[in-house]
Amino acid sequence: MSFSLLEQQRRLHEERDRLERGMARRLQDAGKAPREVTLAEHQVKELLERYQQRSSQLSELYADEDGARRDELALMGGVNGIDEFYNRLRSIRDAHRRNPGQSVELLDFEMAPPKPAAAAEVPPLLQPVWDSKTQHSQEAVPMSLGMDQRDFFATEDEQAAQQKASSLWINRPLEHYVTFSDEEASGKFLDLHAQYSEFINIKRIERLDYLQYLELFDQLFDIPKDIKLSASFKHYLSGLSSYLVDFHKRIRPLYDLESDFRDTLVTFESEWRRGIFIGWNTQVVDADRNNAEPSTAVYCDACEKWFPKQTVYQGHLSGKNHKKAEQKLLQKQQQGGDTAGSMASIAAAAASESTQDVSTTKDIAALEAIVYRLTELLGEQREATRINVERKQALTAEELHQEQEDDAIEIDEEEEDDGEDKPIYNPKNLPLGWDGKPIPYWLYKLHGLNLEFKCEICGDATYRGPKIFQRHFQEWRHAFGMRRIGIPNSLAFQHVTKIDDARALWNKLQMQKNKEKFVSMVDEEFEDSLGNVMNFKTHQDLLRQGLI
């Protein structure tokens, strides 16, 4: 039976509506366990791709580039419209007469057994089709998702693999869509061992253990700029960002990561133009003052490096690296001839090198902005990874082996379990534990999660619980906030959350430091021939008067 264009459009609209209901139903039945949520999102993504494909087909039919739909509408609405109607009705009746008792064609997700409910609550599309002639229910045929074509001339193993691939969509395991390593545990933890190995092999990088790396891998602003511009660091940063993007897509396939990255890069461009991007700013900018005080940073033309203080710059002048760089700079200047052509070529080469350096620097900084954003999105998995690594370090080999066996059994039980249908009773809005259920109220009060702490330095961010609040003073957000107001993030400012309080404490510390400075006129002591001890000023006065 051939379908008209209008019938094709109707079928596509119907399928889109059924796909919408299927996506809504799958998200409702996802459960609370992370593995079940990830599987549900991947299955919904598959339905969403099919929904977009059907929408594209509808758009082509409505565009009607060949004019077939216009001709069909003209034929149905013309002088012979009644005859055309009866002709189509006759063809439909002939098709049903040739195929009596034809089963209903349902989508794969509509073939899944419904959740336990009353008979009246079962949707009509999920009820069996009744054949009045044979007096028994006909089994509905699932509409293909592109996986049910089988080759009957293949071998037995190939047919078994095809039959497994053509099983119902709702019964596919998580491994059908994505694969996780044993360390990642179905998306619960991060596996940064490869990135850690590459990081510690970068020259001049401080040696860290894996647990310290998990706490500090996002603090890229503390790494010197000359190390960031090296080829090894670029390769490491690219690998780190690629892994974080891939991991996020595997555990949250429905999240619009590209749109989030566009917003992140827009913010980065704004901060880069103003020279205040964290880790690459050449001067300390105070966001709350109109006239920012420039820092004491000094730039060395020979070494092409910034130094934080004048004293540090003076100290490096006697180093071997600076002398070699100074000699190379002098040689370049001496080799440039007197002609205008040679001077122009040298200037052009210098300009191209400078442009390339700026472009490379900006690309590295943009990658850092992406890593910062991904670290925020994966903050829960990162903290769980740190706790898991710290816990595993205290286990023996036998305990680790037993734990792996228990995890495998737990995954099998989760796949066999259909999940709970009743909503979780959580009137106090308590946080959920590892099992997807609210934690006990006494534990909620014990950890102080009912208390909220605000930090003005972090941009009025709110932290729940004293433990999380205490830990945030060592995180990059608070360190960046302190840097924006021109104050180093030291232990003296551990519990300071107000910007005015931090400035007042900083001024007080500076005044105490100035008082403790050595003043030669007061603190330097002299002794005369009689053994009398006096300061430098008194000694000079008595010496000029000839008394000593």
Side-chain angles (χ1 to χ4, degrees):
M1 178 180 177
S2 60
F3 298 103
S4 64
L5 293 178
L6 295 180
E7 176 62 18
Q8 294 179 26
Q9 289 178 340
R10 187 202 65 76
R11 289 167 64 91
L12 290 174
H13 278 293
E14 179 188 0
E15 186 175 348
R16 279 168 26 113
D17 293 340
R18 292 158 71 182
L19 286 169
E20 288 180 359
R21 291 198 298 271
M23 288 186 283
R25 171 187 167 184
R26 188 66 188 95
L27 290 176
Q28 289 174 355
D29 299 340
K32 297 297 182 180
R35 180 182 176 87
E36 296 178 1
V37 173
T38 303
L39 174 60
E41 289 194 4
H42 277 283
Q43 291 176 340
V44 170
K45 182 182 179 182
E46 188 175 4
L47 296 182
L48 184 61
E49 291 175 354
R50 179 168 180 171
Y51 182 89
Q52 293 172 347
Q53 181 183 2
R54 297 297 181 263
S55 300
S56 178
Q57 295 175 1
L58 270 176
S59 178
E60 293 177 0
L61 290 176
Y62 279 115
D64 195 21
E65 295 181 357
D66 56 355
R69 182 173 180 272
R70 183 183 64 253
D71 296 341
E72 185 174 343
L73 290 175
L75 184 63
M76 295 176 62
V79 178
N80 299 324
I82 300 297
D83 296 338
E84 180 66 20
F85 169 77
Y86 282 109
N87 289 335
R88 296 194 179 200
L89 179 61
R90 190 180 305 111
S91 64
I92 293 174
R93 287 176 175 174
D94 292 340
H96 284 286
R97 191 180 302 110
R98 290 192 301 268
N99 302 287
Q102 187 176 10
S103 57
V104 177
E105 188 179 13
L106 300 180
L107 294 171
D108 282 357
F109 56 82
E110 293 173 330
M111 291 295 297
K115 295 293 181 180
E121 297 179 0
V122 178
L125 286 175
L126 298 179
Q127 295 176 354
V129 183
W130 186 263
D131 189 357
S132 59
K133 294 184 178 181
T134 58
Q135 297 297 318
H136 67 278
S137 61
Q138 300 291 326
E139 189 175 306
V141 179
M143 186 179 293
S144 168
L145 278 174
M147 298 292 292
D148 60 350
Q149 292 81 9
R150 297 182 59 192
D151 183 8
F152 292 96
F153 297 98
T155 62
E156 294 182 0
D157 295 338
E158 292 176 349
Q159 287 186 9
Q162 292 170 358
Q163 185 176 6
K164 182 180 180 181
S166 63
S167 60
L168 287 179
W169 165 87
I170 199 69
N171 296 329
R172 293 174 186 168
L174 180 61
E175 289 73 18
H176 177 82
Y177 301 96
V178 291
T179 56
F180 292 98
S181 64
D182 295 337
E183 189 72 21
E184 290 173 338
S186 300
K188 292 181 182 179
F189 312 119
L190 296 170
D191 186 5
L192 296 174
H193 286 88
Q195 288 73 24
Y196 164 69
S197 178
E198 187 176 2
F199 177 76
I200 62 176
N201 286 303
I202 300 175
K203 292 183 179 179
R204 297 170 53 199
I205 286 292
E206 182 182 358
R207 305 287 292 185
L208 304 171
D209 58 19
Y210 185 60
L211 189 59
Q212 292 175 331
Y213 174 76
L214 289 174
E215 296 178 354
L216 304 175
F217 76 89
D218 63 327
Q219 297 187 9
L220 302 172
F221 48 83
D222 289 335
I223 300 176
K225 295 181 183 178
D226 53 340
I227 298 180
K228 292 182 180 181
L229 295 176
S230 62
S232 57
F233 184 82
K234 296 177 191 175
H235 188 269
Y236 157 75
L237 192 60
S238 177
L240 176 62
S241 59
S242 300
Y243 171 77
L244 294 178
V245 169
D246 178 66
F247 183 81
H248 190 276
K249 288 183 177 179
R250 282 184 288 160
I251 65 172
R252 299 174 186 170
L254 295 179
Y255 189 84
D256 191 1
L257 201 57
E258 295 181 359
S259 176
D260 197 321
F261 283 171
R262 284 194 294 268
D263 297 339
T264 302
L265 292 177
V266 168
T267 306
F268 162 74
E269 288 287 347
S270 176
E271 294 181 354
W272 182 264
R273 286 195 300 267
R274 290 182 291 165
I276 61 173
F277 183 69
I278 179 173
W280 294 92
N281 50 339
T282 56
Q283 62 180 8
V284 179
V285 179
D286 189 345
D288 297 328
R289 295 181 182 177
N290 294 327
N291 300 321
E293 299 178 359
S295 67
T296 57
V298 183
Y299 184 76
C300 179
D301 294 329
C303 299
E304 297 181 353
K305 288 172 57 179
W306 284 93
F307 294 89
K309 296 180 181 180
Q310 181 71 24
T311 55
V312 179
Y313 170 75
Q314 294 293 339
H316 106 283
L317 294 178
S318 59
K320 294 181 180 179
N321 294 332
H322 174 75
K323 293 181 180 179
K324 290 181 181 179
E326 197 172 21
Q327 290 177 0
K328 290 181 180 180
L329 183 62
L330 291 175
Q331 290 176 1
K332 288 182 180 180
Q333 293 176 355
Q334 292 174 0
Q335 289 175 358
D338 296 333
T339 60
S342 60
M343 293 297 292
S345 62
I346 293 173
S352 62
E353 291 178 0
S354 176
T355 304
Q356 185 177 3
D357 292 342
V358 171
S359 177
T360 304
T361 302
K362 187 176 181 180
D363 293 341
I364 296 174
L367 268 179
E368 291 185 8
I370 295 296
V371 171
Y372 292 149
R373 179 55 183 160
L374 287 169
T375 307
E376 290 182 3
L377 295 175
L378 299 173
E380 182 179 350
Q381 286 75 15
R382 176 192 181 182
E383 181 63 20
T385 305
R386 187 190 64 80
I387 296 175
N388 183 56
V389 171
E390 191 174 9
R391 181 183 59 82
K392 281 187 175 182
Q393 289 179 352
L395 299 178
T396 62
E398 293 78 7
E399 291 174 339
L400 285 173
H401 181 68
Q402 182 64 32
E403 186 182 63
Q404 292 175 358
E405 294 180 352
D406 296 341
D407 291 341
I409 296 174
E410 183 181 351
I411 291 176
D412 294 338
E413 291 178 352
E414 287 181 0
E415 292 178 352
E416 296 176 359
D417 188 13
D418 293 331
E420 298 181 358
D421 304 318
K422 298 180 180 179
I424 297 176
Y425 181 70
N426 190 10
K428 295 184 180 294
N429 196 21
L430 301 177
L432 301 181
W434 62 270
D435 56 352
K437 298 180 180 179
I439 64 175
Y441 187 70
W442 65 266
L443 187 62
Y444 174 77
K445 296 283 287 185
L446 178 64
H447 289 286
L449 298 180
N450 57 327
L451 304 177
E452 292 185 354
F453 302 89
K454 287 189 176 182
C455 182
E456 185 180 355
I457 298 176
C458 297
D460 290 333
T462 304
Y463 301 94
R464 295 186 63 177
K467 185 177 180 180
I468 299 177
F469 175 70
Q470 180 72 20
R471 189 172 60 239
H472 101 279
F473 288 103
Q474 284 77 37
E475 294 178 352
W476 72 269
R477 185 186 297 274
H478 189 83
F480 178 57
M482 294 290 291
R483 205 164 183 170
R484 290 288 295 270
I485 62 177
I487 300 175
N489 189 24
S490 60
L491 292 176
F493 300 88
Q494 185 69 21
H495 294 280
V496 179
T497 59
K498 300 289 186 180
I499 295 178
D500 295 337
D501 296 344
R503 287 174 177 162
L505 180 58
W506 174 250
N507 295 331
K508 183 178 179 180
L509 293 176
Q510 293 293 342
M511 293 175 60
Q512 292 179 355
K513 187 176 181 180
N514 293 332
K515 290 180 180 179
E516 294 174 357
K517 282 185 178 180
F518 179 81
V519 181
S520 60
M521 297 293 292
V522 179
D523 299 330
E524 190 175 3
E525 295 182 349
F526 286 83
E527 185 178 355
D528 59 4
S529 58
L530 300 178
N532 298 319
V533 179
M534 62 199 73
N535 58 29
F536 176 76
K537 183 178 179 182
T538 305
H539 179 269
Q540 292 297 321
D541 291 341
L542 296 176
L543 188 62
R544 283 194 295 268
Q545 295 175 13
L547 298 177
I548 56 174

